[in-house]
Amino acid sequence: MWMQSALITAGPSAGATGTLSWIMFAGAAAILLLVVAFTAHAVFGGARRGWMAGRHFVIVFGIAMPIVVLTILLVYGLTLTSRSTARENPAMRIEVVGERWWWRVYYVGPRGDRQFVTANEIRIPTGVPVEFVLKTNDVIHSFWVPSLAGKLDMIPGRVNRYQFSAGRPGVYRGQCAEYCGAQHALMAFYVVAMERDRFPTWLEDQQKPASEPVTELGVKGRELFIATGCGACHTVRGTTASGQIGPDLTHFGSRRSIAAGSFPNNAGTIAGWIASAQHLKPDNLMPSFANLQGEELRAVATYLENLK
């Protein structure tokens, strides 16, 4: 599923938050109905409403009941939160860095070494706890995948960590939940939860160099990609492109979206993004390459689309 909703949960952490939310909603609804009933009785009850002005009514419903109800909800909420934030030994570790306005994603090996880097899409195996190490290089961002877990801020100069797992395979949309600048609303990402037995193969494939183009148009696109200086900002492993400013594009074609979840990933949107990045997402760090002609754009887009 691609819908972003805190009401559709697919993991234990989000499930606990959902349960707490529904209990809070139910408690608030019950209190609202009680207040409405008392108000109606006070307005329309006539002589029978005198008991509501008594001292006992104020003590029971004005003091005792709010204290009891709020205490129960507070204790339950704290207990549920402590359980949902308890840490296990993670099956894997992923480091996510908030950028302007996209997500740099490092897969970290068991010895703490970075195995490879990708962008704007995170793949995890189902049914196992994954630790997320959250950082930012510019301003405060907030990492949030509502169907899987709560939000956690990414603060400059600080490393925040939390864990969650996906209970079933699927595609879950995430979003920056802290205003971070002009294109905050266009700073999304996807978490793809895969069957556990398929995940090691994907992990191994991601560590390989980029695939070679198999068509004449793809070969031309690779030549243009290098010649126009794209490699100054982007890395494509297996080529001379080794830039670190922008996203790693080694397996770019396998991602579901471009520009941090802003557009679907296909040759048409790739060409449009290359030519008009500043029009589509103003003030991002990708310049618009309006100097490229239609056939050149199609060649570069074809090359990138096939980097899988």
Side-chain angles (χ1 to χ4, degrees):
M1 67 183 160
W2 295 58
M3 183 183 297
Q4 179 180 311
S5 173
L7 301 179
I8 302 174
T9 61
S13 181
T17 302
T19 300
L20 178 60
S21 299
W22 284 116
I23 289 175
M24 292 292 187
F25 290 154
I31 292 172
L32 174 63
L33 291 175
L34 190 63
V35 170
V36 170
F38 284 157
T39 302
H41 182 75
V43 173
F44 304 108
R48 294 175 299 168
R49 66 188 178 188
W51 64 276
M52 295 181 63
R55 181 178 180 183
H56 293 296
F57 177 85
V58 175
I59 293 175
V60 172
F61 292 101
I63 299 175
M65 191 185 78
I67 291 175
V68 171
V69 172
L70 292 176
T71 300
I72 292 173
L73 290 175
L74 176 63
V75 171
Y76 178 76
L78 292 174
T79 302
L80 199 62
T81 301
S82 64
R83 289 176 184 171
S84 64
T85 57
R87 292 190 177 184
E88 310 172 50
N89 289 326
M92 62 180 299
R93 184 174 289 108
I94 298 174
E95 182 180 320
V96 183
V97 182
E99 303 279 357
R100 179 182 152 188
W101 288 274
W102 58 282
W103 310 86
R104 196 187 301 268
V105 182
Y106 295 100
Y107 284 76
V108 181
R111 297 181 180 179
D113 56 313
R114 290 173 172 174
Q115 296 176 308
F116 63 91
V117 59
T118 181
N120 301 320
E121 187 170 297
I122 302 170
R123 297 208 179 204
I124 61 174
T126 56
V128 297
V130 179
E131 182 181 58
F132 289 83
V133 181
L134 305 180
K135 303 178 181 179
T136 176
N137 289 330
D138 41 46
V139 298
I140 296 176
H141 300 282
S142 190
F143 186 84
W144 187 34
V145 194
S147 291
L148 296 177
K151 64 185 71 171
L152 186 62
D153 283 351
M154 310 163 87
I155 303 171
R158 179 180 176 85
V159 177
N160 285 336
R161 302 169 183 264
Y162 78 148
Q163 292 183 12
F164 63 76
S165 61
R168 61 178 183 269
V171 180
Y172 306 98
R173 190 179 188 275
Q175 175 69 42
C176 178
E178 180 76 26
Y179 180 74
C180 56
Q183 299 305 321
H184 161 69
L186 296 181
M187 189 174 173
F189 62 97
Y190 290 99
V191 174
V192 182
M194 304 176 64
E195 291 86 352
R196 207 181 310 181
D197 57 346
R198 294 178 51 213
F199 185 75
T201 301
W202 177 85
L203 205 63
E204 183 180 349
D205 289 342
Q206 288 295 302
Q207 298 179 63
K208 297 176 181 177
S211 55
E212 293 289 326
V214 295
T215 65
E216 183 178 344
L217 190 62
V219 172
K220 180 182 178 182
R222 180 176 62 181
E223 293 172 353
L224 283 168
F225 182 86
I226 301 299
T228 54
C230 300
C233 293
H234 297 284
T235 291
V236 177
R237 283 181 276 120
T239 73
T240 58
S242 58
Q244 302 296 316
I245 299 173
D248 186 296
L249 302 180
T250 303
H251 298 290
F252 173 78
S254 63
R255 299 171 196 164
R256 283 167 166 72
S257 67
I258 65 172
S262 301
F263 310 101
N265 190 357
N266 56 59
T269 56
I270 296 170
W273 175 254
I274 295 170
S276 304
Q278 286 302 310
H279 172 72
L280 296 172
K281 196 169 181 177
D283 296 329
N284 84 93
L285 298 182
M286 169 82 175
S288 297
F289 286 84
N291 59 308
L292 294 176
Q293 302 303 309
E295 185 64 21
E296 295 172 323
L297 284 171
R298 193 163 72 90
V300 177
T302 299
Y303 168 62
L304 294 174
E305 185 183 32
N306 288 285
L307 290 177
K308 298 181 179 180

